[in-house]
Amino acid sequence: MDAKQIIAKRVALELKNGELVNLGIGLPTMVADYLPEGVEVILQSENGMIGMGHIVSGPHNRNFTNAGGTSVTILPHGACFDSAFSFCLIRGGHVDGTVLGTLEVDQHGNIANYMIPGKMVPGMGGAMDLVTGSRKVIVVTTHTDKSGNSKILKQCSLPLTGVACCDLIVTELAVIEVTPNGLKLLEIADNTTVEEVIAKTEAPLILAEPVKTFSTN
Amino acid sequence: MPKSKLTTLDEFKALLKDGMTIMVGGFMTDGTPEQLINAVVESGVKNLTLINNDGGYPERGIGKLIANGQVKKLIASHVGLNPTVAKLMNSGEMEVDLVPQGTLAERIRAKGAGLGGILTQTGLGTLVQEGKQVVESEGKKYLLEVPLAADLAIIEATYADKFGNGVNIGTTRNFNPLMALAADKVVLGTYKLQELGEVDPSSVTIYGVLVDHIVQIEEM
């Protein structure tokens, strides 16, 4: 498996049967493909749907789309609604969990994923509401960027999407919990070592006792 | 029945003026009445302030108005799928106000509901907080977000009757019902125009009492 698949498969273990979950576009969407047998979650899409199914290839069907504007199926238990209701679900604490990609995340649970000033300005879309209102915020990212710099920082440098809002960080190397005392290394991938994870993480890590291992197969 | 709301594309163009604030329904152009956007392009009106979920695509939805230099300011939550927006934003040619999606929806709804604003925790401690009042309520801090109004709303219904009672199929609903409440004039584009009584009253998502003009449009 590549890094994204490893992350998606590990995050899938965090979701409980029957939970209402919002998965961001891209890597987070892949999580749905790795749910263990017996676990089904209800997917919420902020453009106005619960019970989202899978991406549909072929001609664009504008009547049923995900938040990236891509056609999707809707499951038999699904329902559609307007944007105000969609964010009532999100802000009102009715969404059990959200999985988001990021540019930066830090030891305080801050997340920065919506702009690089002067360069890239996608905008926050629904992310600021999701990190504020979701009961559980799971951040997924490769452990380092393409140049090998840690994505898990002491302090985010980019404009924040949310303050002290992240609960769990999952990378291809580690599962890290955000605690009031700092970041706690819960698990490492079966192809790395605690020393390597510490070396590749800018923020200090508290070690769980014991640090468990997760599968990369 | 009041006078007919049925409007031609030319009559719709006559409603457009330079400097208007226009709300446009749709999410990544799904739920956006593309043919009405084309009419705004053809009208050539300038210095528009647009309120939309996003920036559309470079050649689709409100992206066409942006590419045509008709937009002075865009208020949206996500502009990542239209690179022209970032280009014009960074060069200073177009002002862009990025608003969290839930806050955008609720500010539009606040105007339509006659509320003086809404309190939300979304954006606390971020750039979104800049210049805004922080209000404490029941021991928690919130941002005061003010209502968003428009001169005109351009919205769609998949089908509608001649009074403007319309139904949005699936996820094309998004911002359309909210915008119908928040603008001085509401123009509804619909793909299938039905007689009175043909739209199930319990299924209505766009309420005819809010609609001033109805234009029968085609998918494009």
Side-chain angles (χ1 to χ4, degrees), chain A residues 2-15:
Chain A
D2 65 20
K4 285 182 177 179
Q5 291 167 320
I6 292 168
I7 294 167
K9 189 180 173 192
R10 179 59 192 82
V11 170
L13 300 178
E14 296 296 319
L15 306 181

Side-chain angles (χ1 to χ4, degrees), chain A residues 25-133:
Chain A
I25 300 300
L27 197 173
T29 302
M30 292 166 57
V31 172
D33 298 332
Y34 290 95
L35 291 170
E37 212 165 308
V39 176
E40 283 182 35
V41 297
I42 303 165
L43 295 181
Q44 197 257 9
S45 187
E46 64 266 30
N47 57 316
M49 186 195 289
I50 49 175
M52 184 168 65
H54 286 95
I55 285 173
V56 178
S57 50
H60 181 69
N61 174 6
R62 74 196 296 275
N63 288 340
F64 294 95
T65 59
N66 66 17
T70 304
S71 298
V72 293
T73 58
I74 182 165
L75 301 176
H77 61 264
C80 295
F81 31 79
D82 68 49
S83 296
F85 181 82
S86 187
F87 284 89
C88 289
L89 289 176
I90 290 168
R91 247 190 277 95
H94 308 283
V95 171
D96 296 299
T98 187
V99 182
L100 299 119
T102 198
L103 297 163
E104 294 177 347
V105 58
D106 72 23
Q107 61 181 339
H108 310 293
N110 299 326
I111 177 172
N113 72 352
Y114 83 98
M115 74 183 292
I116 302 173
K119 277 190 190 167
M120 193 190 79
V121 195
M124 68 291 278
M128 279 196 182
D129 299 283
L130 281 161
V131 299
T132 303

Side-chain angles (χ1 to χ4, degrees), chain B:
Chain B
M1 252 302 275
K3 73 178 172 72
S4 171
K5 298 177 181 179
L6 299 187
T7 303
T8 65
L9 280 169
D10 282 335
E11 288 166 341
F12 165 65
K13 283 186 213 170
L15 298 170
L16 303 168
K17 293 185 182 68
D18 287 348
M20 267 187 154
T21 296
I22 305 179
M23 289 179 177
V24 180
F27 194 111
M28 291 319 308
T29 77
D30 297 312
T32 302
E34 194 70 22
Q35 200 173 3
L36 295 185
I37 300 301
N38 290 349
V40 182
V41 171
E42 286 160 20
S43 78
V45 290
K46 296 186 295 288
N47 294 321
L48 300 175
T49 294
L50 292 187
I51 301 169
N52 184 252
N53 172 63
D54 47 72
Y57 298 102
E59 291 168 12
R60 191 162 174 79
I62 65 160
K64 287 191 290 203
L65 296 167
I66 293 165
N68 204 31
Q70 293 173 267
V71 183
K72 180 183 68 176
K73 180 177 179 180
L74 173 65
I75 301 172
S77 74
H78 191 273
V79 296
L81 296 181
N82 184 354
T84 312
V85 174
K87 208 176 83 187
L88 296 177
M89 183 179 175
N90 290 333
S91 70
E93 289 167 83
M94 184 173 71
E95 188 185 340
V96 178
D97 189 2
L98 289 172
V99 180
Q101 206 166 95
T103 300
L104 184 66
E106 212 59 28
R107 287 178 65 191
I108 295 167
R109 199 187 67 85
K111 166 60 187 169
L115 303 175
I118 58 121
L119 300 179
T120 178
Q121 294 190 305
T122 302
L124 272 174
T126 75
L127 292 177
V128 169
Q129 185 177 327
E130 278 185 6
K132 286 176 189 154
Q133 194 180 333
V134 176
V135 177
E136 200 163 311
S137 174
E138 297 184 329
K140 287 182 183 170
K141 286 183 175 157
Y142 297 86
L143 288 186
L144 172 63
E145 293 279 5
V146 296
L148 265 179
D151 301 306
L152 190 72
I154 300 175
I155 62 171
E156 89 163 34
T158 312
Y159 57 93
D161 68 22
K162 289 178 175 174
F163 186 61
N165 288 315
V167 173
N168 297 104
I169 299 291
T171 46
T172 64
R173 193 180 319 182
N174 53 68
F175 284 81
N176 283 303
L178 309 174
M179 290 175 171
L181 278 163
D184 293 343
K185 281 260 184 273
V186 175
V187 179
L188 175 69
T190 190
Y191 304 102
K192 190 177 172 193
L193 192 57
Q194 301 197 308
E195 294 302 324
L196 296 182
E198 287 184 348
V199 174
D200 170 16
S202 304
S203 301
V204 167
T205 54
I206 303 289
Y207 300 100
V209 287
L210 303 172
V211 173
D212 299 293
H213 302 277
I214 305 166
V215 188
Q216 183 158 18
I217 54 171
E218 290 169 11
E219 282 200 43
M220 38 187 48

Side-chain angles (χ1 to χ4, degrees), chain A residues 149-172:
Chain A
N149 302 310
S150 176
K151 299 253 297 212
I152 303 163
L153 307 175
K154 288 178 180 163
Q155 189 77 47
C156 289
S157 63
L158 296 170
L160 296 181
T161 309
V163 176
C165 57
C166 304
D167 297 298
L168 197 71
I169 303 163
V170 178
T171 77
E172 77 282 19

